[in-house]
């Protein structure tokens, strides 16, 4: 997967492995079918015995069925492992609200009675610092821990949006009056950028997402000092 963005999250590593796994089957099928067609062409011109075609037809039906079963099993395992609430996490829930045209984040279930909620807007051009990305930097980032599970719960206050961060393989639809959840696991600390990937209006391209992955102790200190 050298042509893909570098994998960061655990789910992204699994998706990239599944991609390479399927590519291996595709190349194998291409080579086998191409070889069979070549042999059939050669035998046809040497007066092929047509009775053997039944064996070939049976083989060409059985092998693709077996391959589809293998791919389907891995696909279902990946689908269920990246969906909603399939196991208990250590206690962090990050709730995400989409608006026209900014994001709001709320932290809860961190063994504390109070809840933290704040808005995240795109940084104006005049406020950018050296190293900031134009149209991708925000005033307040979403902070999540590394090497620990967290749940993102995403919804919208107005119309359809989409919370999308390609490097960690996150793309969650934000629908009004509906909660969509996704387990998030990031293994490498750093800053990860995304944008709304739904056409949500005239300022669709001005609601970026920045997730900062840090240690659990740094996250707890940040929550206390906020």
């Amino acid at each position: 997967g050298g042509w893909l963005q570098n994998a960061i999250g655990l789910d992204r590593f699994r998706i990239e492995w599944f991609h390479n796994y399927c590519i291996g089957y595709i190349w194998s099928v291409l080579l086998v079918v191409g070889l069979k067609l070549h042999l059939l062409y050669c035998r046809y011109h040497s007066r092929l015995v047509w009775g053997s075609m039944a064996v070939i037809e049976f083989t060409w039906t059985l092998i693709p069925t077996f391959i589809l079963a293998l791919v389907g099993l891995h696909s279902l395992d990946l689908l269920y492992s990246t969906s909603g609430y399939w196991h208990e996490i250590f206690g962090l829930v990050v709730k995400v609200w989409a608006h026209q045209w900014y994001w709001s984040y709320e932290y809860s279930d961190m063994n504390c009675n109070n809840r933290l909620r704040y808005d995240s807007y795109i940084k104006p051009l005049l406020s950018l610092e050296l190293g900031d990305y134009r149209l991708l930097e925000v005033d307040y980032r979403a902070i999540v821990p590394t090497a620990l599970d967290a749940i993102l719960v995403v919804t919208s206050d107005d119309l359809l949006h989409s919370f999308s961060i390609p490097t960690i393989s996150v793309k969650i639809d934000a629908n009004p009056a509906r909660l969509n959840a996704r387990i998030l696991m990031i293994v490498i600390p750093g800053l990860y950028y995304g944008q709304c990937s739904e056409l949500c209006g005239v300022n669709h391209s001005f609601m970026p997402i920045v997730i900062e992955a840090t240690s659990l102790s740094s996250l707890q200190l940040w929550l206390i000092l906020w």
Side-chain angles (χ1 to χ4, degrees), residues 137-156:
E137 194 57 66
V138 297
D139 52 1
Y140 294 107
R141 300 163 178 163
I143 314 294
V144 298
T146 55
L148 288 171
D149 287 338
I151 284 186
L152 294 178
V153 181
V154 181
T155 187
S156 173

Side-chain angles (χ1 to χ4, degrees), residues 19 22 57 145 153:
H19 168 268
C22 292
E57 291 291 341
V153 181

Side-chain angles (χ1 to χ4, degrees), residues 52-122:
S52 63
M53 291 299 292
V55 177
I56 295 176
E57 291 291 341
F58 177 78
T59 304
W60 281 18
T61 302
L62 184 63
I63 293 178
T65 303
F66 180 70
I67 293 175
L68 288 175
L70 289 178
V71 172
L73 288 174
H74 286 290
S75 178
L76 288 174
D77 175 63
L78 185 61
L79 178 64
Y80 280 103
S81 69
T82 57
S83 63
Y85 309 94
W86 65 279
H87 73 298
E88 185 178 355
I89 62 169
F90 81 99
L92 175 64
V93 176
V94 181
K95 300 174 183 176
V96 183
W97 278 269
H99 314 271
Q100 289 181 305
W101 285 272
Y102 63 97
W103 301 93
S104 295
Y105 302 101
E106 180 183 296
Y107 290 77
S108 59
D109 302 330
M110 286 290 291
N111 298 322
C112 56
N113 295 324
N114 59 331
R115 293 188 177 186
L116 169 64
R117 179 169 177 172
Y118 60 91
D119 299 329
S120 178
Y121 291 88
I122 187 173

Side-chain angles (χ1 to χ4, degrees), residues 160-178:
L160 295 178
H161 300 270
S162 186
F163 190 84
S164 176
I165 306 173
T167 52
I168 53 179
S169 219
V170 167
K171 188 177 185 296
I172 313 172
D173 290 335
N175 303 327
R178 178 182 175 88

Side-chain angles (χ1 to χ4, degrees), residues 33-51:
V33 171
L35 179 62
K36 280 291 185 181
L37 288 175
H38 176 71
L39 293 176
L40 283 175
Y41 176 80
C42 294
R43 288 188 179 184
Y44 175 77
H45 285 280
S46 61
R47 295 183 180 180
L48 172 69
V49 178
W50 291 102

